[in-house]
Amino acid sequence: MKPGRLNVEPHLARPDDFYQGLLELHRDLSDEQSRLANAKLILLLANHVGDHAVLDEALRIAREGLAEAVASAGGQPPPVEMDAIRAAMQGSSKEGS
Amino acid sequence: MDRRARPGDVARARERLGENQPMSPAYERPVYAYRRAADQDAVRAVRHPVVIVGAGPVGLTAAIDCAVHGLSNVLLDAEDTVCDGSKAICFAKRTLEIFDRLGCGERLVKKGVVWNRGRVFFGERQIYEFNLAPEAGNGRPAFINLQQYYLEQYLIERLGELDATKLRWRNTVTAVESRADGVGLTVETPDGPYRMLCDYLIAADGARSAIRHLLGLPCQGQVFQDRFLIADVVMQADFPTERWFWFNPPFHTGQSTLLHRQADNLWRIDFQLGCDADPDEEKRPERVIARIKAMLGEQTRVELKWVSVYTFQCRRLERFQHGRIFFVGDAAHQVSPFGARGANGGIQDVDNLIWKLALVLAGKAPTALLESYDAERIPAADENILNSSRSTDFITPKSEVSRAFRDATLMLAEHYPFARRLVNSGRLSVPAVLHASPLITPDADRFDSAPCPGAPCVDAPIQTAAGEDWLLRLLGNGFTGLYITAEHGKMPARVGRVIEQLAAGTIPVDVLVVGGRLTGDGPGRGIIDVAGLVQRRYGGRPGTFYLIRPDQHVCARWRRIELEAVRSALTRALARAAQRSERVA
């Protein structure tokens, strides 16, 4: 991989093992402890990556879509019809793998 | 699936909603009559080689497999009909291949709905889709969806054709006595109790196994608190035949929903309800229909056929063999429904066990062979439990931080492919590979491809003198060999002699000789590799030989066939080697 490009293709050999490990990291921690553990994890991994261009790209992507997510978490959900579901489905099906 | 709607619930709801004209005829559950058996009038308890308890998918499969192996057996069930509601609906390719071996795969596939594609939604957006379709040149699809009651009915009818099973309805086991020389049972019936004996007992009596309780055997693992609502709904909808999974959909905020199509235009909808839901309130048909209409639109005409609220466990018995008693399916191990690993796992248990029982009962293998059931199926159960627990942890996060990771993964998955691998809406059932089995002979020669020793055989289109067929339909029930040759006529005389000697052994090995074209008579059964896929999928240079078990798993493979090596692998596959070393010790 060329420097300065964040790899967003699958790169973990055993993704489910990793995800389980991630959840286990937080087992029995308080919310405050979890936040600190996550922060330490990010700092460790950032140092390991080392490439500032890669880190900048990751920082940018991490901010994407947060406004929408917060909006949808509060308030009443809009009524959804089959058409809307289908439209949503077609709108993003190009992204499918 | 431990709660059922009361009879009449659905009809009453339909009346209130003014939906009295059903859109599809209801499935009529057949009622199988209790009949008094001769055993009940016997002065002394009658002894049978095999008794199976529980006529669900796994128990019925066990009875059919016994019949196919020529074992007469008795199947006891406490009720007198098939299951209520669709229950297990996803049957995986491997399961269909097992049913092909048992002579009933075709009927299931014809009735079932074939699907390969799944879509995952987060909120209002599709974040990705996946396709599980096996590569071309496989006899069976990745999955079919079929209501469990059809599966049970068809398996019961298959048992009738085979005529080796005494199927006794309304026979409830109330006592079990495990002895060194057999198992004693007390069975309650409408005519009162009777006693029977058997050489081997197969407990296929489900997640709340009576046999397990009677023996006082604990199941250990994780109990999940989240409740799920499951509904069978007839509706006129033009959704494609796909698995749709929603995380946090707008019509069911904060929870998840799963939609699956089944036969007869019946749809299965699962709603996650959370830990605090009131099951009785949630099962009210008005409430269920309101949820469905919120999902599909007010105008959608839906007819509720069955509804249930369930919780689940991921746990297992410490051992599945207890002397002469074998636990199979949910009686031995339970998983969450995500991943279709319950019924599919149980049917693989049976696939693993019955050929061993048949050989031991025929005196052709030592009882040590039966011990390999635990060695082979406990790791398989653990794999299913691990995968279904992880799916459950992803779908129902237990803490704020795990919910944050879950939602972050879903947000990233729409645009960044790496995150799709982390999304876990169910890791769908794949067959177990018997890696650590004492019966399997590891590779000594170099192979770069599957199926490795311990793996189930892979399919390929072939042709025999009788016409086009699939490789897997020719394998199984006995030991089979697969010899790959360039041309049938050019097989060395030495190989021909080995093949003849293998066919004549006390445990005969029926060798399929796979080549480009058939040229006259030779040893073994000649088959044509019409698409070259047998050779490709089995990494087969001419001269390659596979030894295959009665359950279609690879026992051993070589680049060059040698009689002594094959015999030694066969000895190992029958646990005869283990017996000898025990005697020495």
Side-chain angles (χ1 to χ4, degrees):
Chain A
M1 199 177 59
K2 282 182 286 182
R5 273 301 295 257
L6 180 72
N7 183 5
V8 294
E9 295 302 317
H11 189 52
L12 293 165
R14 299 186 314 279
D16 287 350
D17 287 357
F18 163 72
Y19 198 88
Q20 186 179 1
L22 194 55
L23 297 192
E24 273 167 16
L25 161 69
H26 292 278
R27 192 195 294 166
D28 304 326
L29 296 188
S30 69
D31 289 351
E32 179 56 21
Q33 287 169 327
S34 275
R35 269 194 297 277
L36 285 169
N38 276 339
K40 284 161 72 179
L41 184 64
I42 291 164
L43 295 170
L44 284 163
L45 294 175
N47 179 63
H48 183 87
V49 170
D51 184 323
H52 285 268
V54 169
L55 292 170
D56 285 346
E57 201 179 345
L59 291 170
R60 181 182 61 73
I61 289 172
R63 277 191 79 103
E64 282 176 1
L66 292 175
E68 284 170 56
V70 172
S72 73
Q76 282 300 305
V80 165
E81 305 286 320
M82 270 171 65
D83 287 348
I85 296 171
R86 211 176 290 117
M89 178 187 111
Q90 280 157 5
S92 56
S93 62
K94 290 184 288 294
E95 295 289 331
S97 56
Chain B
M1 321 273 156
D2 51 354
R3 286 170 192 276
R4 289 173 177 180
R6 282 182 296 276
D9 276 5
V10 172
R12 278 195 297 278
R14 222 180 273 139
E15 269 167 41
R16 271 178 237 142
L17 292 160
E19 291 180 357
N20 282 318
Q21 274 76 50
M23 282 180 284
S24 80
Y27 173 78
E28 293 284 347
R29 290 202 286 164
V31 175
Y32 303 104
Y34 161 78
R35 287 203 183 81
R36 191 177 174 85
D39 286 11
Q40 291 167 258
D41 298 315
V43 180
R44 292 184 54 183
V46 176
R47 188 177 183 112
H48 300 274
V50 178
V51 172
I52 302 157
V53 183
V58 176
L60 286 164
T61 305
I64 296 172
D65 214 347
C66 283
V68 163
H69 281 96
L71 286 180
S72 83
N73 61 93
V74 181
L75 176 53
L76 307 174
D77 194 88
E79 296 184 35
D80 62 357
T81 183
V82 296
C83 68
D84 186 21
S86 58
K87 298 184 85 178
I89 61 164
C90 295
F91 297 97
K93 180 167 174 291
R94 180 66 199 141
T95 297
L96 299 174
E97 291 162 356
I98 293 168
F99 285 132
D100 280 335
R101 182 175 65 73
L102 301 177
C104 48
E106 190 62 23
R107 191 175 180 198
L108 299 171
V109 173
K110 273 196 177 142
K111 181 68 188 177
V113 170
V114 172
W115 66 277
N116 289 307
R117 188 179 293 270
R119 294 178 192 274
V120 178
F121 300 87
F122 179 41
E124 293 183 59
R125 304 161 75 92
Q126 177 181 315
I127 53 169
Y128 72 103
E129 59 183 81
F130 55 86
N131 193 339
L132 300 169
E135 59 174 338
N138 272 278
R140 293 301 177 204
F143 280 94
I144 64 163
N145 283 356
L146 182 66
Q147 296 90 309
Q148 184 175 323
Y149 46 73
Y150 277 123
L151 177 82
E152 290 182 6
Q153 183 192 326
Y154 294 176
L155 296 183
I156 290 163
E157 288 167 18
R158 178 69 183 135
L159 273 181
E161 292 168 9
L162 292 166
D163 200 27
T165 303
K166 296 179 181 73
L167 189 37
R168 296 183 188 163
W169 302 101
R170 298 177 71 188
N171 273 237
T172 308
V173 176
T174 55
V176 188
E177 189 191 333
S178 178
R179 303 194 310 224
D181 64 341
V183 181
L185 295 171
T186 305
V187 183
E188 189 60 58
T189 74
D191 287 334
Y194 70 102
R195 294 257 310 140
M196 65 196 299
L197 297 167
C198 57
D199 295 336
Y200 293 99
L201 180 72
I202 299 176
D205 52 348
R208 282 172 295 171
S209 167
I211 304 292
R212 209 178 60 218
H213 287 294
L214 289 168
L215 294 173
L217 299 171
C219 253
Q220 273 156 8
Q222 207 177 350
V223 178
F224 292 89
Q225 304 299 325
D226 261 79
R227 289 184 193 279
F228 284 79
L229 173 77
I230 189 168
D232 278 347
V233 177
V234 178
M235 63 180 184
Q236 276 146 7
D238 53 354
F239 288 116
T241 305
E242 298 175 344
R243 177 187 197 262
W244 285 19
F245 196 102
W246 282 268
F247 290 100
N248 193 20
F251 54 81
H252 192 46
T253 312
Q255 308 285 0
S256 65
T257 304
L258 175 62
L259 177 70
H260 256 298
R261 185 181 202 152
Q262 311 175 59
D264 299 345
N265 223 16
L266 191 70
W267 298 74
R268 156 71 75 78
I269 309 178
D270 275 56
F271 291 104
Q272 180 194 351
L273 297 176
C275 303
D276 306 325
D278 171 355
D280 290 324
E281 172 64 16
E282 292 295 345
K283 271 191 304 190
R284 276 178 41 232
E286 299 89 326
R287 196 171 165 92
V288 177
I289 284 172
R291 284 196 187 283
I292 293 167
K293 292 206 164 187
M295 174 178 177
L296 302 171
E298 273 305 314
Q299 301 82 358
T300 310
R301 216 178 129 195
V302 294
E303 188 188 324
L304 195 57
K305 290 286 188 190
W306 173 69
V307 63
S308 175
V309 172
Y310 67 94
T311 57
F312 48 77
Q313 295 97 38
C314 291
R315 56 180 196 169
R316 68 163 169 86
L317 283 170
E318 192 185 349
R319 286 175 295 127
F320 302 163
Q321 181 191 3
H322 289 265
R324 290 168 169 267
I325 302 171
F326 293 87
F327 288 86
V328 293
D330 282 359
H333 44 72
Q334 294 131 47
V335 292
S336 82
F338 310 108
R341 287 169 180 268
N344 289 302
I347 286 161
Q348 288 176 56
D349 289 343
V350 166
D351 186 44
N352 187 282
L353 176 62
I354 304 299
W355 68 269
K356 297 173 181 173
L357 269 182
L359 284 171
V360 170
L361 278 164
K364 291 180 175 171
T367 54
L369 180 60
L370 301 175
E371 290 161 19
S372 69
Y373 175 65
D374 270 358
E376 295 187 335
R377 290 308 298 169
I378 287 176
D382 285 344
E383 188 178 313
N384 287 331
I385 287 170
L386 177 70
N387 278 288
S388 87
S389 302
R390 285 173 170 178
S391 301
T392 308
D393 285 338
F394 194 89
I395 292 163
T396 62
K398 306 291 180 298
S399 65
E400 277 312 306
V401 65
S402 48
R403 178 173 292 274
F405 275 119
R406 201 278 304 266
D407 289 351
T409 302
L410 291 167
M411 286 174 76
L412 288 166
E414 186 177 350
H415 298 293
Y416 305 104
F418 84 96
R420 291 172 202 156
R421 296 272 178 94
L422 295 168
V423 173
N424 191 341
S425 72
R427 295 280 180 254
L428 289 155
S429 176
V430 289
V433 177
L434 313 169
H435 284 297
S437 168
L439 306 187
I440 300 295
T441 301
D443 281 339
D445 299 343
R446 190 191 157 91
F447 281 87
D448 299 322
S449 60
C452 64
C457 283
V458 291
D459 210 357
I462 49 107
Q463 199 178 325
T464 67
E468 290 183 356
D469 211 332
W470 295 97
L471 178 64
L472 290 184
R473 315 269 165 100
L474 304 187
L475 302 177
N477 296 331
F479 281 87
T480 320
L482 194 65
Y483 180 77
I484 293 170
T485 178
E487 264 185 68
H488 289 264
K490 292 185 178 166
M491 198 160 66
R494 182 192 74 83
V495 173
R497 281 194 302 276
V498 174
I499 290 174
E500 280 167 357
Q501 282 169 301
L502 287 173
T506 48
I507 301 287
V509 179
D510 177 23
V511 176
L512 306 175
V513 178
V514 189
R517 60 192 178 91
L518 296 177
T519 48
D521 296 331
R525 272 194 285 168
I527 61 174
I528 305 173
D529 189 8
V530 280
L533 286 174
V534 179
Q535 190 156 341
R536 203 175 82 201
R537 290 180 180 164
Y538 286 79
R541 295 200 289 273
T544 297
F545 181 74
Y546 277 71
L547 179 65
I548 297 156
R549 309 197 320 180
D551 58 7
Q552 300 182 338
H553 281 255
V554 176
C555 211
R557 57 183 180 173
W558 302 269
R559 287 299 184 192
R560 181 185 152 92
I561 183 170
E562 300 284 355
L563 185 63
E564 277 318 302
V566 180
R567 281 191 174 154
S568 158
L570 203 53
T571 298
R572 187 167 178 169
L574 296 167
R576 285 177 173 167
Q579 190 190 38
R580 245 178 248 142
S581 66
E582 272 167 31
R583 278 189 192 152
V584 172

